[in-house]
Amino acid sequence: MLIGIIYFIVIVFANTIGAVSGMGGGVIIKPVFDLIAQDSVAAISFYSTVAVFTMSLVSTWRQIKNGVHLNWQLVAFISGGAVAGGILGNYIFELLLSWLADESFVQLIQIGLTIITLVFAFLYSRFDWKNYHFNSVLSYFLAGLLLGFLASLLGIGGGPINVSLLMLLFSIPIKEATVYSLATIFFSQLAKILTITFSVGFARYDLTMLAFVIPAAILGGLLGSKLSNILSPKKVTFVFQCVILLVLVINLYNGWQVFV
C-alpha cells in the first residue's frame, strides 16, 4: 500500500512535467523507481510504460481538443516508425534479460544510454545548433523508428531525445515538438504493451499496482496539458532543461550504486 502511494506521487509529478516538456514522464519515473528499488528491472519498465502510455493518450487528446493543429502525415509516419521501433526495443530488452545472468547489467545499459540521450538533449537545447528541414516520409519513419526503439529499450517512455530530435530534423518549434513527441510516445508504448501481451505475458508483474499507476498517469496528463497551454515556449525550454539536469543527476547516482 505504502509503495503504491509513493509510486502514485512520483507518477503524478513526473507525468505533469513530462506532458509539459514532451519527455513523457518515464525519463523521471524509471530512474526514481530504480532509486526506490522495490521491483525488478522488468516490472519497473512495465509500470513506467503503462504510466507514460496513459499520460500520452490523455495529454494528446487534450491538446487536440484545445485546438492544437498537427501535421497528420508527420504524425502517421513517425508513429508508424515508433511502433516498429517499440517492438524492436522490447525484443532487445527481453533478449538482454535472457542473455545476462544479473539484471543489474541490463540496468546499467539502460542508465548509460539514458545519460547519453540526456547530454545530447541538454546540449541541443542550450546551444544554437543548426536545424534541418527534412520532409520526406522516409525521414519521418526513420526518426520514429529510432525514438520508439530507445523509448521501449530504455523503459523511459520517450525521453528528452524525442523533442530535441524533432526540432533538429524538422525545425519544429518546441511547443509543437512536445505534442508530436507525446503522439510518438503513445504509439511506441502501445507497441510495447501489445508485444508483452503476446509474448511473455503479465504473470511476472504485480498488476494490483496499476490501481495506483493508471489514475496517477491520468491526473498527471491532465495537469501537464493544462500547464502546457499556459507556459510560453521560453518557459517550456526552461522546464525541459531543468528536468534534464535533475534526471541526469539521478541516473548518475543510480549508475554508481549499481556499479559499486
Side-chain angles (χ1 to χ4, degrees):
M1 181 69 173
L2 177 60
I3 193 65
I5 294 172
I6 293 173
Y7 278 12
F8 182 93
I9 294 170
V10 170
I11 290 171
V12 170
F13 171 77
N15 277 357
T16 299
I17 299 300
V20 171
S21 63
M23 292 187 187
V27 71
I28 300 174
I29 296 169
K30 174 66 169 56
V32 172
F33 282 11
D34 282 341
L35 188 63
I36 295 170
Q38 288 294 311
D39 287 291
S40 67
V41 172
I44 288 171
S45 291
F46 173 68
Y47 298 144
S48 177
T49 293
V50 173
V52 174
F53 169 77
T54 305
M55 179 280 299
S56 63
L57 174 62
V58 171
S59 185
T60 303
W61 171 75
R62 282 297 298 268
Q63 294 279 20
I64 293 172
K65 186 180 178 182
N66 289 334
V68 174
H69 298 289
L70 300 177
N71 177 344
W72 288 105
Q73 184 184 58
L74 176 64
V75 172
F77 282 95
I78 285 186
S79 299
V83 169
I87 293 171
L88 179 61
N90 189 68
Y91 174 76
I92 298 299
F93 175 72
E94 294 294 341
L95 209 59
L96 288 173
L97 284 177
S98 63
W99 280 354
L100 301 174
D102 188 348
E103 68 174 23
S104 63
F105 289 119
V106 180
Q107 189 177 358
L108 271 176
I109 291 171
Q110 288 181 316
I111 290 171
L113 289 174
T114 301
I115 288 172
I116 291 171
T117 64
L118 286 167
V119 171
F120 164 78
F122 181 80
L123 291 176
Y124 174 79
S125 65
R126 191 73 178 84
F127 301 103
D128 190 21
W129 287 4
K130 177 184 176 181
N131 287 340
Y132 297 90
H133 295 81
F134 295 111
N135 57 11
S136 68
V137 294
L138 179 61
S139 65
Y140 297 161
F141 181 84
L142 291 177
L145 184 71
L146 174 62
L147 297 178
F149 174 77
L150 290 174
S152 185
L153 175 63
L154 303 184
I156 58 176
I161 194 174
N162 283 32
V163 174
S164 300
L165 196 67
L166 290 170
M167 294 171 67
L168 176 67
L169 296 181
F170 309 119
S171 296
I172 302 172
I174 188 168
K175 291 195 73 171
E176 287 183 34
T178 62
V179 182
Y180 286 116
S181 173
L182 292 174
T184 304
I185 288 167
F186 169 79
F187 285 102
S188 68
Q189 298 313 286
L190 174 62
K192 179 166 184 173
I193 291 171
L194 291 176
T195 303
I196 293 172
T197 302
F198 295 109
S199 57
V200 296
F202 302 101
R204 61 179 170 178
Y205 310 122
D206 179 7
L207 297 182
T208 61
M209 292 303 297
L210 297 184
F212 296 95
V213 170
I214 293 175
I218 293 172
L219 181 58
L222 292 173
L223 290 173
S225 59
K226 188 173 184 64
L227 279 175
S228 181
N229 291 322
I230 296 172
L231 297 178
S232 66
K234 186 175 180 179
K235 289 182 179 177
V236 170
T237 301
F238 178 73
V239 171
F240 183 79
Q241 292 174 343
C242 288
V243 173
I244 288 175
L245 292 176
L246 170 65
V247 177
L248 186 58
V249 170
I250 295 173
N251 273 282
L252 287 170
Y253 177 78
N254 286 344
W256 173 253
Q257 289 295 101
V258 173
F259 185 75
V260 298

